[in-house]
Amino acid sequence: MTLYAGPVFEMARQQFHIIADHLDIPLDERERLLLPKRAICVSCPIHMDDGRTAVFQGFRVQHHLTLGPAKGGTRFAPGVDLGEVAALAVWMSWKCALAELPYGGGKGGVAVDPSALSLRELENLSRRYMQEMIPFVGPRIDVMAPDMGTNEQVMAWFMDTYSMYQGVTVPEIVTGKPVGSGGTLGRREATGHGVAFLAVRALDRLQIDPTNASAIIQGFGNVGSHAALGLAARGVRVTGISDHMIALYDPRGLDAGAAAAHVARHGSLKGFADAAEVGPREFLALPCDVLAPCAIERVIDAEIAALLQCRVLAEGANGPTTPDADEVLAQRNREIFVVPDILCNAGGVIVSYFEWVQDLQQYFWSREEVMDRLERALERSWNKVVERAERDGISGRMAAMAIGVERVRAAKLSRGLFP
Ligand code: NAD
């Protein structure tokens, strides 16, 4: 356990034991389910533009391979460490199992601030990281995707590096690639689209008309911007948006499309719109119907949970709510409907699965087909979670995780232990 020690893995461990207690999983089975199968730590030396050599620490964790290859994003962020990557890989396992995808959970990352690198340095780092991972990944072993701080371009460099070593083009080694290099239509917006789709599903359940509802979104990168656009397209008024530099609030509504264009030009929301700037914690506690944290983990702690004024908490980010905050939300007697991360942001990995399938078959689908299959997949998972929560009298998070953990456990038990 000490290998992964740290607050994020501790959170994944705590959540798992809550579920394991609920499911009566014997103690001697728990480590096999929780501890990652494999963790890889690498040093990535690269040439910097000024002639120096800089070395960056990289990680990849494959939580389990019982149901198929490991699947998960690669994060480039300053605070990345082995424990965080391991926790994210564990959550990916429950997420893929809930969505009935043939994958185990994987995750990777490099401890770096990508905004401090030039484009050439970013390419050097992306290629070197993938090159270090080549002995451990493959289309049937571990398939990477984008996460915080990485994007389609980084995936194209990953794919090119892997392909050059194989001597053939292998698009199925990564998902979230540019469409022109074997990516799928709909992947870029898939996660945010899913967040918006499920947030509106939750509003319907609470009998709140989306066209009378407001939303606040923390994080305005891939997930947050597309969640905002998706909510706006469904008639929801987006009243708050934020990123790592600034949090903006305007009860009359903000233009999500113009904000996305501003970020594309300037790299941040700073300087956008004539809206009030608010503090980052105060921002989360502003009144709204939907609060969608779409940035980093552990932003909603017990203190913030007590102050939340939203009706729906739609978790676009992975692990935004701590177990202490979950307890506070439970005490608030279901005032707030939580769409848990492994359900809410599953649109990304579902469309990544579609991309992998299309690459393996070399047969590509229309955007309509991708989005239609995505919404049907999300609807199936939503129904399973809502029914399970009602049946067992448990929270949506517990229901979602219980379904995920049960599926992985059943596969492990039926396959037995080798040798
Ligand atoms: P991104 O790098 O595209 O965007 C991250 C955004 O969060 C940026 O706007 C950044 O400025 C902001 N941010 C960072 N730290 C912040 C802070 N302390 N406060 C407020 N904002 C902050 O990343 P992304 O791909 O949109 O991922 C965001 C979250 O969604 C992560 O938790 C990621 O694991 C999760 N997620 C992503 C995908 C995907 O398909 N990209 C899928 C599932 C889950």
Side-chain angles (χ1 to χ4, degrees):
M1 189 66 70
T2 48
L3 193 59
Y4 305 107
V8 194
F9 195 77
E10 179 53 25
M11 177 174 152
R13 197 188 64 78
Q14 265 183 7
Q15 286 177 337
F16 169 74
H17 281 289
I18 292 170
I19 300 303
D21 288 344
H22 174 69
L23 296 175
D24 276 334
I25 298 177
L27 287 178
D28 62 355
E29 245 187 78
R30 295 189 184 189
E31 288 212 332
R32 187 177 171 210
L33 275 169
L34 176 67
L35 289 182
K37 176 178 189 65
R38 194 178 287 155
I40 303 130
C41 300
V42 295
S43 300
C44 302
I46 63 161
H47 292 300
M48 303 296 277
D49 291 346
D50 63 6
R52 278 180 311 122
T53 300
V55 182
F56 297 92
Q57 292 278 293
F59 309 93
R60 184 83 192 162
V61 171
Q62 296 162 356
H63 178 229
H64 77 86
L65 302 174
T66 307
L67 287 158
K71 183 84 192 79
T74 306
R75 176 172 288 195
F76 284 4
V80 165
D81 61 25
L82 184 60
E84 179 183 71
V85 172
L88 289 161
V90 169
W91 289 327
M92 278 304 289
S93 287
W94 315 143
K95 188 189 303 183
C96 292
L98 171 64
E100 297 181 18
L101 305 179
Y103 292 136
K107 205 79 180 190
V110 177
V112 61
D113 176 2
S115 68
L117 299 182
S118 70
L119 194 65
R120 183 194 296 262
E121 290 166 344
L122 183 64
E123 177 173 355
N124 290 347
L125 180 59
S126 303
R127 288 187 180 280
R128 184 61 190 237
Y129 173 77
M130 175 47 108
Q131 190 262 324
E132 295 292 344
M133 290 296 158
I134 283 176
F136 310 103
V137 299
R140 300 266 178 200
I141 302 168
D142 187 357
V143 180
M144 297 183 187
D147 191 78
M148 215 157 77
T150 59
N151 55 22
E152 289 177 15
Q153 178 59 75
V154 172
M155 294 307 113
W157 289 325
F158 281 180
M159 177 199 132
D160 184 68
T161 303
Y162 187 85
S163 297
M164 293 312 282
Y165 274 82
Q166 303 301 317
V168 288
T169 296
V170 191
E172 61 271 26
I173 185 62
V174 294
T175 60
K177 303 175 288 295
V179 173
S181 302
T184 183
L185 295 165
R187 175 60 183 89
R188 186 182 296 168
E189 61 272 38
T191 312
H193 182 90
V195 172
F197 177 82
L198 293 172
V200 168
R201 211 63 193 68
L203 287 174
D204 290 344
R205 195 177 159 79
L206 299 177
Q207 297 178 327
I208 299 172
D209 177 356
T211 61
N212 285 328
S214 62
I216 288 185
I217 292 146
Q218 182 197 42
F220 208 73
N222 175 279
V223 180
S225 65
H226 286 288
L229 290 166
L231 285 162
R234 289 165 172 79
V236 177
R237 195 161 26 95
V238 176
T239 53
I241 51 179
S242 78
D243 65 10
H244 63 293
M245 307 274 284
I246 196 165
L248 298 169
Y249 178 68
D250 186 340
R252 294 166 303 170
L254 291 153
D255 182 338
H262 181 91
V263 172
R265 253 196 326 276
H266 304 284
S268 158
L269 287 167
K270 218 168 167 54
F272 174 71
D274 194 13
E277 184 176 345
V278 288
R281 278 174 79 81
E282 178 199 342
F283 176 76
L284 295 170
L286 289 166
C288 60
D289 295 295
V290 176
L291 175 66
C294 298
I296 51 171
E297 48 284 346
R298 300 193 314 121
V299 288
I300 298 174
D301 54 22
E303 193 185 320
I304 292 277
L307 300 172
L308 293 184
Q309 298 192 61
C310 58
R311 298 295 315 281
V312 172
L313 179 61
E315 295 182 339
N318 287 306
T321 308
T322 65
D324 288 357
D326 271 335
E327 277 179 29
V328 174
L329 293 175
Q331 281 158 18
R332 290 184 63 180
N333 204 18
R334 314 239 165 133
E335 268 176 83
I336 296 173
F337 189 99
V338 179
V339 188
D341 51 1
I342 64 168
L343 170 64
C344 194
N345 68 34
V349 71
I350 291 169
V351 176
S352 276
Y353 166 64
F354 296 160
E355 181 174 335
W356 183 68
V357 167
Q358 292 171 74
D359 286 338
L360 288 170
Q361 299 184 343
Q362 287 295 295
Y363 180 73
F364 293 90
W365 311 347
S366 68
R367 186 177 186 280
E368 290 66 36
E369 190 167 357
V370 171
M371 297 320 257
D372 178 55
R373 284 176 188 256
L374 167 63
E375 290 189 0
R376 279 189 283 139
L378 289 173
E379 186 72 27
R380 270 198 306 277
S381 295
W382 164 271
N383 287 335
K384 279 193 299 185
V385 170
V386 168
E387 280 163 23
R388 179 67 175 259
E390 275 173 6
R391 190 195 80 185
D392 292 0
I394 54 178
S395 68
R397 184 181 322 285
M398 278 190 73
M401 286 190 61
I403 296 167
V405 170
E406 263 172 2
R407 179 159 188 251
V408 176
R409 181 182 182 217
K412 282 193 184 290
L413 289 177
S414 67
R415 287 185 58 165
L417 197 55
F418 179 85

